[in-house]
Amino acid sequence: MRYIFCLILGLWPLALSAQNWEDRQIFRGAALQDAGANADAVQLRILSSTDTAFFTPIIHRFLADRPSVSIEYLVAGSAQIDHIFRQDPTQYDLIISSAMDLQFKLTNDGYAQPIEDLVTPDWAQWRQSLFAFTSEPAAIVIRRADFDGQPIPQTRQELIEALRARPEVFRNRLGTYDIRRSGLGYLFATQDARASETYWRLTEVMGNLGTRLYCCSGDMITDLANGKLAVAYNVLGSYALARSETASALTVVLAADFPTTMMRTGFVTASAPQPDLAKEFIRHLIQIQTEAVDPESFLLPPLIQSQTIPAQSTITLGPALMTYLDTLKRRMFLKEWTRAIIR
């Protein structure tokens, strides 16, 4: 009986860990397609907030030149990643996330190792340890059927006016991140609040109409497509644009007043089991994101956009990212946000 009890205690952390993954996939190089082949092959472990579908082409291209390598790709929410990784930082080679502030703090706390010879713009890296590889705007995604005969709002103020004008259409049909659970949602919200007071007015209007709160962009876009939502605010632009190509019912709006653009970042962990291979993967990310690639097979947007994005709209990699990670500031911000959005 004591043995069984000890066995349960031993397995309990594994069970908890297994519940954290939104997805888990193993990718094998060509020489490892037979599951029983070369059990001692090198494996890279990547902990990421990016949906597997978006990263699959990147991984396949990496493995094409490394037939004896496999990659375990683990997906969790951006806030979860910080918690999971800090619990056991020796288990992962690479951390990739859209939550720039949490990534910056991990790097600042000594959890990343530098790649001295990697060439990338100064604004896209921090101390040669944290590297940006995409530039992605937050978007307002609209279900066209709910704006039939009505102008599509192009700014936050216009969205406020549209919601106030037809509350019966939008009641309980608005969506945004639950910033208590989403690291990216919290980042977008704090950056919006710093940019303009319009954010708080919009949040209060949305709260009065009964806004649905989500962990991630994909779920919001799904509910837009099936009609549960009429508008989703601060949806990750890359996810929204990828879906809108096949879901003609949706319109993606990049707010014209003050667009908020984040950079997806990655770093090699200080205790990476495969540090050299992990550094190769970061180099691969930087290279592939600055090359001309087929947009149909490569869904993440490049670091340097062809279209003009105002420099002031891009969240920069720097110490200011940690402002709202301060315990007191975070508590106060969440208190104000909860008061505004939850009725």
Side-chain angles (χ1 to χ4, degrees), residues 100-102 104-105 108 126 186-187 190-191 194 314-326 329:
M100 292 173 64
D101 49 354
L102 295 177
F104 186 90
K105 190 170 192 311
N108 198 60
W126 178 255
Y186 182 75
L187 175 67
T190 53
Q191 294 298 315
R194 290 178 67 176
T314 302
I315 304 170
T316 57
L317 280 173
L321 277 170
M322 295 197 294
T323 300
Y324 284 98
L325 294 182
D326 173 81
K329 282 186 170 64

Side-chain angles (χ1 to χ4, degrees), residues 8 66 86 94 107 117 125 146 155 157 203 220 247 253 303 324 329 335 337:
I8 291 172
R66 298 165 181 85
R86 286 179 184 272
L94 285 154
T107 303
D117 58 345
Q125 58 85 23
D146 293 302
T155 67
Q157 183 58 43
T203 303
M220 280 188 268
V253 177
L303 178 63
Y324 284 98
K329 282 186 170 64
K335 182 179 179 180
W337 177 85

